Amino acid sequence: TYNTVRYIEKDIITPPDTVATSNAYTFEENRGQLLNTDTLPQSNIRFYHKESIPGVYFSDTSVTYVWSKIDTSATVDDSLHRVDLKFINSDVEHVYPLEKQEDYFNYYLGQVGVPKERIPLYSRVIYPDIYLKTDAMFASNNIGLKHYFIMHVGGNPSSIEMKFNGADSVKIINDSLYIYTSLGILKQVQAKAFIISNTNNRVDLNWQPDYFKTGNGTIIFTNIGSYPIDSTLVFECDWGNPSTASTNPYWSTYLGGTGDDVAYDLATDIGGNLYAVGQTYSTNFPIIYQYQTDQPSGDAFYGSFNPNGVRNWLTYYGGSGIESGNAIAIDNNTLARGYAIGTTTGSSNLFLTNLTGAFNDGNINIGKGFILRFDTVTGFPDWATYFGDWNTKPNSLAINNSGDVFIRGSV
């Protein structure tokens, strides 16, 4: 069967496919988190999927494929190759999302300004009316990215004309379309033709359209056979490239700023909240509801996220030296209590607070460890102490059912 969606004052038809859409391919809405090579917002891109080769980016009037080669040497420039798919003589004006998923991404990065939360993901995007009564829809299956040309009653498949700007060459070999670039080849196998019958079923036709390269380098369809003119005609174009992406998580996010940031450990409580600890050199790290706001040097950080990926709180922990948060654990016997451990080069102003009856060490020394206990609701530490001596490196943390804390590391 097929689905119709009432959208922008017209019926949108989702063509039936013999293979379901892939969870590995989702199209992410751009709300300012996508940056260009100058680290500026790429505002003309509406949706994108970059976890494949090539990445694909959708503006309102074109589709862009980007290949990349990242060099491991800092002295050698990375390489990008961009190809823009343009619909020639088209009335395309806008791209729209379809089939919103439950998954979403969050971005907590200094360079994107205000944190971008709950960025939606979609299974399809559509360019309606690229030609008279003709839509272009992009989706996927377990093979990879694909698209459809959907000719409603009155649409003309001969009007479709594509140009791949930026390609080194475009060739048709054994009925398949090949897009050549300096960093890779994109192959589109011969399109399949089918109609959606009056009983809402897919009916494959006994012919397939051919790609043809015109004298001005555009690609059109030829050898178009007969079909019932009162039915919707669909050309299914499969790129035939396996996806390199994995199944999407429930939510996912970047976390950091413009400096070097590393998360070293995660923990969860029985309420589904997530806790992270690590090290940051970013002065614009996305702290929130914090007890420490300044970041004079490399500092530890620790923070909490609710089950939907929204920050409960996130704070620096450090002083005049360099600190790193190495492990974190939650005492599920007492939900309002968590522990974090790490190392310090000997900060003279590290926040310390004694706890009656606990181990308390306020002596500054280079290369010591630290232990802190914090309130999981606010993040504020109610016990913080140095631990060990020169070159002490606590790196693992556990809590048993009695609330006893176990630390492992090296000295």
Side-chain angles (χ1 to χ4, degrees):
T1 60
Y2 74 96
N3 299 315
T4 63
V5 179
R6 192 69 179 172
Y7 206 84
I8 57 167
E9 301 303 321
K10 68 168 290 179
D11 286 331
I12 299 297
I13 294 179
T14 299
D17 200 331
T18 56
V19 181
T21 56
S22 172
N23 289 331
Y25 261 102
T26 56
F27 303 114
E28 181 176 345
E29 185 173 347
N30 179 25
R31 294 185 177 177
Q33 76 276 13
L34 183 65
L35 306 179
N36 61 21
T37 54
D38 295 321
T39 67
L40 298 174
Q42 192 69 39
S43 57
N44 66 309
I45 299 299
R46 300 288 311 286
F47 306 94
Y48 64 96
H49 175 88
K50 61 181 182 180
E51 282 74 38
S52 62
I53 302 174
V56 58
Y57 302 81
F58 302 91
S59 72
D60 279 330
T61 57
S62 65
V63 181
T64 296
Y65 301 97
V66 177
W67 288 258
S68 61
K69 180 180 179 182
I70 308 301
D71 199 281
T72 57
S73 172
T75 61
V76 179
D77 291 335
D78 298 332
S79 300
L80 297 174
H81 195 126
R82 168 180 170 174
V83 174
D84 293 325
L85 166 59
K86 295 281 189 178
F87 301 111
I88 305 303
N89 299 319
S90 170
D91 296 324
V92 62
E93 294 181 348
H94 208 74
V95 60
Y96 297 92
L98 296 172
E99 299 179 13
K100 185 178 180 180
Q101 297 192 354
E102 292 183 357
D103 308 334
Y104 54 85
F105 290 154
N106 296 323
Y107 291 84
Y108 301 121
L109 287 171
Q111 57 265 45
V112 300
V114 177
K116 315 298 181 184
E117 297 179 330
R118 301 185 70 88
I119 301 297
L121 308 174
Y122 299 90
S123 294
R124 302 172 187 268
V125 296
I126 188 169
Y127 291 91
D129 296 318
I130 58 169
Y131 301 101
L132 179 65
K133 298 185 181 300
T134 299
D135 304 332
M137 179 181 292
F138 288 77
S140 67
N141 59 22
N142 60 354
I143 297 176
L145 186 67
K146 65 191 310 180
H147 61 267
Y148 309 87
F149 292 106
I150 305 165
M151 279 68 69
H152 301 268
V153 175
N156 181 7
S158 297
S159 63
I160 299 171
E161 188 173 6
M162 299 170 285
K163 185 71 176 288
F164 293 89
N165 295 325
D168 288 343
S169 63
V170 178
K171 298 180 181 180
I172 300 167
I173 304 173
N174 296 329
D175 299 321
S176 293
L177 181 66
Y178 288 81
I179 313 300
Y180 291 87
T181 77
S182 60
L183 297 178
I185 302 171
L186 202 56
K187 175 186 175 183
Q188 182 174 300
V189 299
Q190 186 176 20
K192 298 176 183 177
F194 63 88
I195 61 169
I196 299 174
S197 70
N198 293 331
T199 56
N200 302 336
N201 291 317
R202 170 178 175 148
V203 179
D204 291 320
L205 299 173
N206 59 2
W207 54 268
Q208 293 178 263
D210 291 328
Y211 298 112
F212 180 80
K213 186 176 180 180
T214 67
N216 61 5
T218 62
I219 301 297
I220 62 174
F221 290 105
T222 60
N223 294 330
I224 298 170
S226 61
Y227 62 96
I229 61 174
D230 60 346
S231 299
T232 297
L233 174 66
V234 179
F235 288 171
E236 180 184 85
C237 305
D238 193 332
W239 283 109
N241 292 314
S243 170
T244 59
S246 59
T247 301
N248 287 312
Y250 181 65
W251 62 268
S252 177
T253 181
Y254 290 105
L255 178 65
T258 52
D260 293 331
D261 309 296
V262 181
Y264 286 118
D265 196 23
L266 298 173
T268 57
D269 63 27
I270 60 175
N273 296 292
L274 177 72
Y275 301 83
V277 69
Q279 184 182 44
T280 175
Y281 282 83
S282 296
T283 56
N284 58 348
F285 197 78
I287 56 177
I288 183 174
Y289 306 127
Q290 67 288 339
Y291 79 91
Q292 180 177 334
T293 59
D294 61 319
Q295 201 269 7
S297 58
D299 274 357
F301 73 83
Y302 65 103
S304 170
F305 300 79
N306 75 14
N308 294 319
V310 177
R311 294 168 301 165
N312 294 320
W313 49 266
L314 185 62
T315 185
Y316 295 121
Y317 181 72
S320 56
I322 296 175
E323 281 73 42
S324 174
N326 298 339
I328 194 166
I330 305 303
D331 184 357
N332 282 312
N333 305 287
T334 306
L335 286 181
R337 184 179 296 166
Y339 295 83
I341 59 174
T343 56
T344 174
T345 59
S347 293
S348 59
N349 56 345
L350 189 67
F351 178 86
L352 302 175
T353 181
N354 290 344
L355 182 66
T356 302
F359 174 84
N360 299 294
D361 177 6
N363 296 316
I364 301 172
N365 200 350
I366 296 175
K368 301 186 78 167
F370 67 80
I371 307 170
L372 63 89
R373 190 178 79 177
F374 58 87
D375 186 317
T376 57
V377 177
T378 65
F380 198 90
D382 61 2
W383 173 49
T385 180
Y386 289 119
F387 176 73
D389 210 330
W390 183 82
N391 209 31
T392 299
K393 296 178 180 178
N395 54 35
S396 184
L397 182 62
I399 302 172
N400 67 11
N401 291 334
S402 300
D404 300 317
V405 179
F406 298 83
I407 299 172
R408 184 178 68 181
S410 62
V411 294

